[in-house]
Amino acid sequence: MFQRVSASILCVDYNNKEVLLKAVSDVEKAGADFIHFDVMDGNFVKNKTFDHELVNFVKANTNLLLDVHLMVENPENVIDNYINLGADIITFHYEATKDAKPLLEKIKDKNILAGIAISPKTPAYKIRELVKSGLVDVVLVMSVEPGAYGQAFIPGSAEKVAEIREFSRSVYIEVDGGVNLKNAKILRKMGTNILVSSSTIFNAKNMKKAIQELKGSDYAKRFLKFFNKD
Ligand code: DX5
Ligand code: ZN
């Protein structure tokens, strides 16, 4: 099972282009795999953040993969914007749309990884058939209520990962919200492939070390050996 880290820019001052680009370049140098974009519409969640234009701006300035997390009502209205700019993962919420299937198909048709997110109150079995249908590339398990960074991890989220792993050996599982160096271990053990973090990464004294630890000690050892660094 591969382990990847997706760095959410939510806790940086993303409206300040200079700050944003520095944050993106810092996480790239520190070994993150994806930049995670929390698109909020002020409707599905209270807060409003940014749209595809900001994602496009970052794309022009990084080699990192683009991981778009849409916290918007009726994602079918905006999804083309993210498909057209060439995001690498596009994830929308199961709770935000009536029919997830055509949306997943549309994303997959463009060779983009199609993700379905579930909020903490949505039980795993609700997406069982969708996952089993093979239309889902990524399941994003929200381990906090969607809407803000810096919240505490909701207990039971790791068990939810294990449950989803039972549905499919091959689906990528991403966990988002309150991820830290402690809960990362159990999340990996239960079958998580992509850990999202904003606070743990951007508040770390040593960002590179934090990202390596999120990926796990085995990964860190291999990484250090490969690059022959301390
Ligand atoms: C919450 C967002 C998360 C958030 C994570 O709605 O989906 O991506 O940025 O932030 P931390 O890691 O601080 O919980
Ligand atoms: Zn997110």
Side-chain angles (χ1 to χ4, degrees):
M1 274 290 172
F2 70 82
Q3 301 293 340
R4 300 284 186 265
V5 165
S6 190
S8 160
I9 53 161
L10 199 57
C11 79
V12 305
D13 181 10
Y14 53 78
N15 286 318
N16 179 330
K17 295 283 189 282
E18 216 174 297
V19 172
L20 174 62
L21 288 186
K22 164 122 180 30
V24 170
S25 134
D26 284 350
V27 293
E28 187 166 0
K29 280 188 214 131
D33 305 284
F34 295 90
I35 285 282
H36 182 89
F37 294 93
D38 288 304
V39 179
M40 303 186 193
D41 64 350
N43 189 11
F44 181 72
V45 289
K46 254 199 283 154
N47 293 331
K48 203 170 174 178
T49 52
F50 43 78
D51 61 14
H52 63 285
E53 282 173 13
L54 189 110
V55 183
N56 218 4
F57 171 75
V58 171
K59 183 186 164 74
N61 289 284
T62 185
N63 290 316
L64 287 172
L65 297 168
L66 310 174
D67 174 25
V68 174
H69 177 193
L70 297 174
M71 279 163 276
V72 304
E73 202 62 51
N74 301 320
E76 51 276 15
N77 297 338
V78 298
I79 219 142
D80 283 339
N81 295 331
Y82 299 92
I83 290 176
N84 293 340
L85 71 83
D88 297 286
I89 302 177
I90 300 178
T91 298
F92 60 89
H93 270 259
Y94 171 79
E95 305 86 6
T97 184
K98 281 197 196 80
D99 194 1
K101 267 194 179 166
L103 273 184
L104 292 164
E105 272 162 4
K106 191 171 185 180
I107 299 168
K108 273 179 85 70
D109 269 1
K110 303 286 176 195
N111 284 323
I112 295 169
L113 296 180
I116 191 103
I118 49 172
S119 292
K121 289 189 187 75
T122 304
Y125 75 81
K126 294 264 187 190
I127 56 162
R128 188 172 178 271
E129 290 317 310
L130 267 183
V131 172
K132 284 194 169 283
S133 77
L135 277 177
V136 178
D137 296 307
V138 181
V139 174
L140 186 154
V141 175
M142 286 295 311
S143 38
V144 298
E145 286 300 333
Y149 66 87
Q151 303 180 74
F153 184 83
I154 296 177
S157 306
E159 290 81 344
K160 211 168 181 182
V161 171
E163 211 180 321
I164 292 162
R165 183 50 75 215
E166 292 283 307
F167 303 161
S168 161
R169 295 300 307 156
S170 57
V171 75
Y172 298 151
I173 302 179
E174 178 168 10
V175 176
D176 185 9
V179 171
N180 58 36
L181 303 184
K182 270 197 179 151
N183 57 33
K185 191 173 175 192
I186 184 77
L187 290 170
R188 289 193 304 266
K189 283 263 183 225
M190 293 298 117
T192 306
N193 308 104
I194 307 172
L195 288 169
V196 179
S197 170
S198 201
S199 312
T200 297
I201 293 177
F202 287 103
N203 294 340
K205 278 199 205 97
N206 183 336
M207 194 184 266
K208 190 169 180 174
K209 199 162 165 249
I211 290 176
Q212 283 166 6
E213 282 181 26
L214 286 174
K215 291 186 184 186
S217 56
D218 288 354
Y219 176 88
K221 273 184 215 140
R222 274 186 280 134
F223 179 89
L224 293 174
K225 202 171 160 201
F226 186 75
F227 290 101
N228 199 19
K229 287 183 186 147
D230 56 16

